[in-house]
């Protein structure tokens, strides 16, 4: 069990090395790129006005499938213990228990055009991305590219995301709540600093420009190797 947990918490690129030890020098991990010119910061008041949201609400969004593997059980509990906040969950609902929550502070939207998610990210104070799986998906990176910090589980997928805009929590509702309370207790200036730090991280880590240049350099180095598998 200990070995399984160690493996589960490894960054994605380290897992590949375990299965392909014969090609360590030719193995590189590149995340799918984020268009930082598209997923950009917009004035929060303007974003909320366009979406018909209250300018004074504390808004938390989640974008992606609503299912157990994506932490729907934790999301449900967080909604129940935060009646003072507005939750907007966008994505196909695969956990019927989410529909049974009788709460005026939860809005479920099964689909919005991809372009519109930018408005929701910017309208929110905070986003949740409680996937239990080990991958490096888009939503949490899109969120911080728009300047909105995100709470994620502390799993291997997010080990490389070293920025205060990615708030890592344990698999525990109380710890998630502690992170939420901690964020909303910050001053506006502190929130702005975290927001800018997250966007700067994405620009350096997985913007289209950065990933393109890395891919070109790696491919050129690979093609110049007469026998790259030795």
């Amino acid at each position: 069990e200990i070995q399984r947990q160690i493996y589960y918490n490894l960054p994605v690129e380290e897992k590949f090395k375990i299965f392909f030890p014969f090609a360590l020098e030719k193995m590189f991990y590149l995340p799918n790129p984020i268009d930082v010119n598209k997923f950009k910061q917009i004035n929060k008041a303007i974003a909320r006005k366009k979406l018909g949201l209250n300018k004074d609400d504390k808004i938390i969004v989640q974008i992606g499938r609503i299912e157990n593997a994506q932490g729907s059980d934790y999301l449900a509990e967080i909604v129940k213990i935060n009646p003072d906040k507005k939750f907007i969950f966008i994505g196909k609902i695969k956990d019927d228990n989410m529909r049974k929550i009788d709460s005026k502070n939860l809005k479920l939207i099964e689909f919005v055009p991809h372009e519109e998610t930018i408005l929701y990210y910017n309208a929110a104070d905070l986003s949740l991305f409680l996937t239990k799986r080990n991958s490096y998906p888009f939503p949490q990176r899109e969120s911080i590219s728009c300047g909105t910090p995100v709470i994620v589980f502390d799993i291997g997928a997010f080990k490389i995301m070293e920025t205060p805009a990615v708030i890592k929590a344990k698999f525990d509702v109380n710890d998630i709540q502690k992170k939420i309370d901690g964020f909303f207790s910050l001053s506006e200036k502190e929130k702005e600093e975290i927001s800018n730090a997250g966007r700067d991280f994405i620009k350096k880590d997985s913007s289209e420009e950065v990933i393109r240049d890395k891919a070109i350099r790696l491919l050129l180095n690979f093609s110049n190797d007469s026998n790259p598998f030795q």
Side-chain angles (χ1 to χ4, degrees), residues 1-222:
E1 176 63 23
I2 293 177
Q3 289 181 329
R4 187 185 71 81
Q5 284 298 325
I6 292 174
Y7 170 77
Y8 185 77
N9 286 309
L10 285 174
V12 176
E13 66 270 26
E14 295 301 322
K15 287 187 175 183
F16 280 119
K17 291 178 181 180
I18 291 175
F19 288 103
F20 302 99
F22 55 85
L24 295 183
E25 294 182 359
K26 294 299 176 183
M27 187 170 298
F28 305 95
Y29 176 75
L30 292 175
N32 290 321
I34 298 293
D35 184 348
V36 296
N37 296 314
K38 176 180 177 182
F39 287 90
K40 60 185 179 180
Q41 292 167 298
I42 301 172
N43 181 277
K44 194 176 299 295
I46 293 175
R48 290 188 177 192
K49 185 176 182 179
K50 287 184 177 181
L51 294 171
L53 301 173
N54 192 313
K55 65 182 180 65
D56 297 320
D57 281 346
K58 296 178 179 178
I59 299 177
I60 299 176
V61 301
Q62 190 270 357
I63 297 180
R65 291 188 307 277
I66 300 172
E67 59 185 358
N68 186 269
Q70 301 296 332
S72 60
D73 47 345
Y74 291 93
L75 292 172
E77 292 302 313
I78 291 300
V79 169
K80 294 174 185 176
I81 60 179
N82 286 277
D84 63 321
K85 299 177 182 68
K86 176 76 173 181
F87 291 87
I88 303 174
F89 295 166
I90 300 171
K92 187 173 180 61
I93 302 170
K94 295 190 174 183
D95 183 349
D96 289 334
N97 290 321
M98 190 62 68
R99 300 182 189 275
K100 298 176 183 177
I101 298 177
D102 184 18
S103 177
K104 294 181 180 179
N105 68 326
L106 172 62
K107 184 175 184 180
L108 298 174
I109 306 173
E110 293 227 36
F111 172 79
V112 299
H114 195 225
E115 297 284 340
E116 199 170 313
T117 61
I118 300 167
L119 281 177
Y120 280 97
Y121 284 131
N122 277 281
D125 296 289
L126 186 66
S127 67
L128 298 176
F129 190 72
L130 302 180
T131 181
K132 303 172 186 178
R133 296 170 174 167
N134 200 352
S135 60
Y136 195 33
F138 282 105
Q140 89 287 349
R141 291 182 289 137
E142 292 174 346
S143 180
I144 62 175
S145 182
C146 290
T148 301
V150 59
I151 294 178
V152 301
F153 282 134
D154 190 9
I155 60 176
F158 308 121
K159 296 295 184 185
I160 61 175
M161 299 192 77
E162 294 298 331
T163 166
V166 176
I167 305 166
K168 299 167 187 176
K170 300 175 184 176
F171 284 79
D172 178 77
V173 171
N174 292 327
D175 193 54
I176 298 169
Q177 185 60 45
K178 180 179 178 181
K179 300 298 191 296
I180 291 174
D181 292 338
F183 174 78
F184 281 105
S185 70
L186 297 174
S187 67
E188 290 305 312
K189 181 180 179 181
E190 289 172 319
K191 291 177 183 176
E192 183 179 356
E193 290 173 349
I194 291 174
S195 173
N196 292 335
R199 181 160 173 81
D200 287 343
F201 173 82
I202 290 299
K203 284 182 177 180
K204 297 173 183 177
D205 171 77
S206 49
S207 67
E208 288 185 343
E209 292 77 10
V210 167
I211 298 303
R212 180 191 62 225
D213 291 345
K214 284 183 178 179
I216 290 173
R217 288 198 304 271
L218 291 173
L219 288 171
L220 287 176
N221 289 338
F222 184 85

